[in-house]
Amino acid sequence: MADPDSSAAGRPSPFARKPPPPRDAASGGTASPPPLPPLPSSGSYRTDPSIVAPRRESRRLFFHGSGGSLFGIFIVNTLLTLVTLGLYYFWAKVRVRTYVLSQSEIEGDRFAYHGTGRELLLGFLKAIVFFAVPIVVLSFVRDVLDVWVGLKVLAGLLVYLLVVVFIPVATVGARRYRLSRSSWRGIRFSFRGRARDFVRIFVVGSAVSSVTFGLYYPFFDVQRYAFMAGQAWFGTRQFGFTGAGRDLFGPFLLALLLTPFTLGLVWFWYLARRRRYLWDHTTFGAARFRCAVTAAPLFRLLAGNLLLLVLTLGLGWPWAKVRTIRFAFRYLTLEGPLDLTAIQQDARAASATGEGLAGLLDAGGGFDLG
Amino acid sequence: MTSGSVRSDWEGVYLDGRTPARQPAQIRLMRGGLEVTTASGGTFWWPYGEIRQTQGFYEGEQVRLERGRDLTEALLVADPGFLASLHAIAPEPASRFHHPGRRARRVRLTALAAVAVLGIGAALYLWGIPAAARVVAARVPVSWEERLGRSIVEQLVPAGKACAEPARQRVIDDLVRTLTAPLPRLPYTFRVTVVNDATVNALAAPGGFIVLFRGLLERTRTPEELAGVLAHEIEHVLQRHATKALVQHVSTGLLFTAVTGDVSGVMAYGLESARVLGALRYSRAAEEEADAEGLQLLLAARVDPAGMIAFFEGMESQRAAAPAVLKYLSTHPATGDRLARLRQLARGGGQRPPVRLLEGYEWADIRRICG
């Protein structure tokens, strides 16, 4: 497969290093294509030896995009957003996401993004109606209107409740929306976690964290990640997470204790440790992610990005984004057999139109403010 | 790019949208659509009108064509010459697909967009946002300004640091009343807080809150000098400078979001905004306006403007000797042309003889409100 960007990136494509997997023969056109049945049931694939990879493999993600192209998108987006008084913002988001996913590749195939600006706009309006409007009205009752004190207290409590609920609901909504609009090899991702479960994790976690002066934080952190990763699906196969918060408690405590002696730099070590831990315990079928990131490169990435943004007054944002993606992909591998034969499209996830407002907390399409 | 040779037959990959299996496919470009034959022998007809192109807009990016909404099928063609041939064979229906030959034009248009963004951004920053801030600030209810001002004062003056010796406080409040008496309509209730702090500074928060630092009070030699400082701060409030500055900062932050599409930029800007709110630093134009209007206020109240000018002069002459005054000078630079402007304004309006302020009081005693 031609890989024009690999030389520009100064290193060979990771795909060039490993022997071509059997099912990639089709794209190279050198080997004879494996005999594939017509529109199939999954059962007929399961017996196809060319699809099941027999040996231990290691796969990498690769990013083909460039800061220059992203900058072009960014500048046109900016112009249109300014000219439309901000309305184009939602379409601008779609263009950036489409570019980023289209330039990301694994196993010789790129991802695809299927979201639309219209859906993002509707999601934004949904959030306005269900959260912003009630919060403004209730704040008005609490602070401005001349009503009975009990009503003011009630309004104040409701505002607090809405704000507390909003963060987890918006997080789940965004996750649900983004995954359902992403695909690889024509198969959609999806997220099936229920917002109310995440609200519970969030409320309990925040409360216990504050009661324990933050010591509970790593447990809370891992719970959130476990929910976000473990409820993600690719077609009919679920991602898994096998970690537990107690494994990060030690490093967290150590970082906390060393903070004054390291001027806080120890947190880069913790961030790298955390990222390794979370990825290393994320699974996809029999395959498992591996992350090799360490503190020093992570520090260089973040400090470099900050410098880039400050020196360019924010105009360097596209390059910072590309740096961040390439960095994440460089240290991430997917190891073990990637048996795709049993995977099928999940009809619920594939439908872009059949989603309605399925209850407030689990709004079908989700909404995305990010 | 092999755009020179027009071919009708291409190799690609077909994704059926049900399984992640890549199926090699032969694609034939026809006048009205694509004829797709998969390796397994199935043949599909894709009319151009039903096809969307979702990838293949950049150098090195495969062409991806999609068909169908709920169960999307896709065709991937790695060879970039495919699009050129498509445009050659079916120019009319293919106009909805990307043409690689137009990439150079796209680069030029993008450069043009960059220039336009710079132009629009500069225009908004220099004129659009200040104009909008003026309009918005004029419509902010006084009660909101008061709430905001109170919270700023609470933040600047911690409980226990305010000097509130009642008799002396009443004298200072009387000074404010004298200054604002000639105004026909007063939307604000002015409240002066003296802080027990050696800093030489004075500032105005929205809604009529004026904060005087002990250091400044101790450097006023006459009640007229303090009246000059107060008139200046009262005009900041009346002209709603703080509210305008705040609206301007929020709008600039929004502009920042629109430009960068990124929240981290706004967060950095929000921090900046908080700093500005804390320091209540105004633009030079706002300072000059407060000077000029403050001087008019003095003249209307028949207070000798020489006190105001003398105070600014005194500050400027102490610049080198007393570093403490730098704080005040950083927000109220008493430059030569500023003093000249004040003197000119004072000459223009002095028909009536000034009244003496606080006759019978010992100013050095009033100044000791903090004990």
Side-chain angles (χ1 to χ4, degrees), chain A residues 82, chain B residues 120-137 243-259 269:
Chain A
L82 284 174
Chain B
I120 293 177
L124 278 177
Y125 186 76
L126 292 176
W127 300 297
I129 288 181
R134 261 195 306 280
V135 172
V136 172
T243 312
K244 263 177 224 168
L246 198 64
V247 173
Q248 208 157 325
H249 259 84
V250 172
S251 322
T252 313
L254 285 177
L255 181 68
F256 228 80
T257 330
V259 170
Y269 208 81

Side-chain angles (χ1 to χ4, degrees), chain A residues 90-104 110-117 119-120 174-184 187-189 368 370, chain B residues 52-55 61 64 66 69 72:
Chain A
F90 305 99
W91 283 263
K93 276 225 117 67
V94 168
R95 288 199 58 200
V96 170
R97 284 183 194 166
T98 303
Y99 181 77
V100 168
L101 278 180
S102 297
Q103 302 295 333
S104 302
R110 295 173 183 233
F111 292 82
Y113 184 66
H114 308 272
T116 65
E119 287 171 349
L120 286 182
R175 180 99 175 145
R176 187 190 309 283
Y177 180 77
R178 284 192 206 181
L179 284 182
S180 74
R181 296 300 182 268
S182 305
S183 75
W184 182 74
I187 301 296
R188 298 282 184 119
F189 291 83
D368 187 2
Chain B
R52 305 182 298 279
Q53 186 190 347
T54 57
Q55 288 177 359
E61 189 185 20
R64 182 190 177 102
E66 291 183 4
R69 280 283 165 203
T72 308

Side-chain angles (χ1 to χ4, degrees), chain A residues 180-181 186-192 233-237 343-355 364, chain B residues 16-19 69-72:
Chain A
S180 74
R181 296 300 182 268
I187 301 296
R188 298 282 184 119
F189 291 83
S190 63
F191 183 73
R192 304 196 194 163
W233 295 66
F234 172 67
T236 46
R237 179 177 295 167
I343 296 175
Q344 291 207 307
Q345 185 78 275
D346 179 64
R348 284 169 296 175
S351 165
T353 49
E355 296 162 331
Chain B
D16 62 13
R18 296 174 212 213
T19 65
R69 280 283 165 203
D70 282 0
L71 207 65
T72 308

Side-chain angles (χ1 to χ4, degrees), chain B residues 207-261:
Chain B
F209 293 89
I210 293 173
V211 178
L212 282 178
F213 287 76
R214 192 194 72 215
L216 181 131
L217 196 58
E218 283 169 354
R219 273 163 208 274
T220 56
R221 285 158 297 194
T222 61
E224 278 79 8
E225 290 197 1
L226 181 66
V229 172
L230 286 174
H232 178 95
E233 302 301 336
I234 287 170
E235 284 299 336
H236 274 318
V237 172
L238 291 176
Q239 307 294 334
R240 300 187 166 208
H241 286 152
T243 312
K244 263 177 224 168
L246 198 64
V247 173
Q248 208 157 325
H249 259 84
V250 172
S251 322
T252 313
L254 285 177
L255 181 68
F256 228 80
T257 330
V259 170
T260 61

Side-chain angles (χ1 to χ4, degrees), chain B residues 87-144:
Chain B
H87 281 281
I89 288 172
E92 181 60 21
S95 58
R96 49 196 261 112
F97 302 116
H98 174 69
H99 196 304
R102 293 200 211 107
R103 277 176 197 166
R105 199 181 67 174
R106 187 174 67 186
V107 169
R108 281 197 298 277
L109 283 175
T110 304
L112 216 61
V115 173
V117 164
L118 283 179
I120 293 177
L124 278 177
Y125 186 76
L126 292 176
W127 300 297
I129 288 181
R134 261 195 306 280
V135 172
V136 172
R139 281 163 180 72
V140 172
V142 170
S143 60
W144 293 13

